[in-house]
Amino acid sequence: MGRPFSRLMRPFASSTESVPAARDVPRHVAIIMDGNGRWATSRMLPRVAGHAKGVEAVRATVEACARRGIEYLTLFAFSSENWRRPPDEVSVLMRLFISALEREVALLKTSGIRLRIAGDLQRFEPRLRDLISEAERSTSHNRRMTLTVAANYGGRWDIVQAMHKLLAARPELANDPSLIDEASLAEHLAMSHTPEPDLFIRTGGEQRISNFLLWQLAYTELYFTETYWPDFGAAALDEAIRSYQLRERRFGRTGAQVEA
Ligand code: IPE
Ligand code: IPE
Ligand code: MG
């Protein structure tokens, strides 16, 4: 018997199955954009003013990443737990998502950026779902950078939905679960179109993952900054990249092995 079929299908190496090549500029940056509410409150503004300002920081960060040759940028915009917020705030966030798609997709097209949305889209209103499919379709040929927006995304949701999809595609695995391996599951994750993140950034001062990319962050370098998301931009990104460049990524090996 050769290697499982799914392994041949996977375009990206797994950090637990092989040691990734070292690179100076992270190939994939994943960001938890946190601190919009506190940015606004500290200026005596309503929380939603922070979300509106946060959209501008998204634009600046997307552009800065593309210019630095980052191939994949993933932004956490709305978690599966953010529905717990007051309904008014949730509805403003949905409006902002809709208006950002309406206004920004043209720019993504001309900048060569492919847009993907990762998350459980079923809970979104039909208008938003239509905008998402159209935005993904019309940018699908772009190759300069892949921007993934995680919306109604949860790391646990992702692992469970991947298992559902795997068993639907290969029902025989239910009779012999030992045949299920990392590669076959990973192929069905919502992030299977990206390599694993090299650099994770969380703005806003909290040092937690908040159910973001639980599977994919296995060997990602973590970087936390006090900067609130609306104040994030090219300079703050460069600081994070500098910190990343000082890390020794060992992937389980010793420092001496890495040097060799
Ligand atoms: C991040 O900012 C945006 C979303 C979660 C949608 P927050 O709204 O969480 O801002 P803080 O953490 O309350 O300051
Ligand atoms: C994480 O931020 C989710 C996003 C930025 C979209 P939260 O503000 O929701 O995280 P917690 O609740 O502080 O952990
Ligand atoms: Mg927050």
Side-chain angles (χ1 to χ4, degrees), residues 33-39 47 51 77-78 82 85 89 93:
M33 310 184 287
D34 195 24
N36 291 352
R38 281 164 289 158
W39 179 91
R47 289 178 54 84
H51 297 316
F78 192 88
N82 284 144
R85 294 192 176 197
E89 181 167 339
L93 287 167

Side-chain angles (χ1 to χ4, degrees), residues 33 45 50 62 75-76 95 135 150 174 190 194 203 205-206 216 238 241 246 252-253:
M33 310 184 287
L45 296 168
V62 169
L75 300 175
F76 202 7
R95 297 293 117 216
T194 75
T203 62
E206 310 299 349
Q216 295 84 355
D238 286 337
I241 294 175
L246 296 172
R253 300 162 301 167

